Amino acid sequence: MAPRSGHIKFKKGTKWKDLLEPFPGLFELFLDETAQRNDDELFDTMLLKQNIACLEKGQKPEGYNRNNRVRMIFPIVDRSTEFYIYRSTGSDDIVRITNRLSEYLTEKKLEHKVEWDKMLLFELKIKGKR
């Protein structure tokens, strides 16, 4: 079964500000790979600027958490610097998109690891606790 989520977890000690330089390219790549560019270019630009403003303050960005087919989510829990790509149903797209974003981050020399289906609520559902 194809995964619902691909998680990119940065090495210990990575701060949100460390994502400031590569984030615009990462965000644009996400929009391109998921074919979710908005017809109104200004909307995508506004979302990017909001995310960058958070990173400049050393805060977790919002990502792309719209009610669309694929989302880029930065978890609410601040246990580490990470984000994940999520789709409500399992899809090979998640593997392709996550791997492409991972390649980009590797090019930008940001150490990280990729994991699949590590969402807490999903794990609880599988275990029958939700």
Side-chain angles (χ1 to χ4, degrees):
M1 183 163 78
R4 288 176 176 223
S5 61
H7 302 255
I8 295 180
K9 297 183 177 190
F10 295 95
K11 77 173 184 174
K12 192 173 186 165
T14 302
K15 305 287 184 221
W16 292 117
K17 277 193 174 188
D18 297 335
L19 301 181
L20 186 56
E21 186 271 323
F23 192 83
L26 182 73
F27 191 77
E28 299 286 332
L29 182 60
F30 169 79
L31 292 177
D32 289 341
E33 290 293 322
T34 59
Q36 294 186 142
R37 286 207 176 267
N38 196 297
D39 290 338
D40 181 2
E41 234 178 82
L42 292 175
F43 181 76
D44 292 341
T45 301
M46 181 215 38
L47 288 177
L48 177 59
K49 286 183 179 183
Q50 285 177 336
N51 281 286
I52 289 172
C54 291
L55 292 170
E56 287 173 338
K57 296 175 193 170
Q59 298 172 344
K60 174 179 56 101
E62 178 184 333
Y64 191 87
N65 195 10
R66 301 294 177 264
N67 194 17
N68 283 354
R69 184 173 47 91
V70 182
R71 298 174 182 189
M72 174 192 281
I73 300 173
F74 290 80
I76 295 171
V77 179
D78 277 335
R79 58 182 174 248
S80 64
T81 305
E82 63 184 85
F83 70 96
Y84 59 93
I85 305 305
Y86 173 78
R87 185 176 179 147
S88 60
T89 58
S91 168
D92 290 334
D93 278 358
I94 292 300
V95 173
R96 181 186 56 78
I97 294 162
T98 303
N99 285 336
R100 183 59 194 103
L101 296 179
S102 175
E103 289 169 7
Y104 173 81
L105 292 168
T106 298
E107 290 169 14
K108 296 297 181 180
K109 301 191 181 353
L110 279 168
E111 291 183 49
H112 62 280
K113 66 180 178 177
V114 175
E115 297 178 346
W116 308 101
D117 285 335
K118 292 293 182 185
M119 293 174 52
L120 179 60
L121 289 178
F122 185 69
E123 288 177 15
L124 290 175
K125 184 177 180 181
I126 289 173
K127 292 177 184 175
K129 294 185 179 182
R130 181 138 167 73

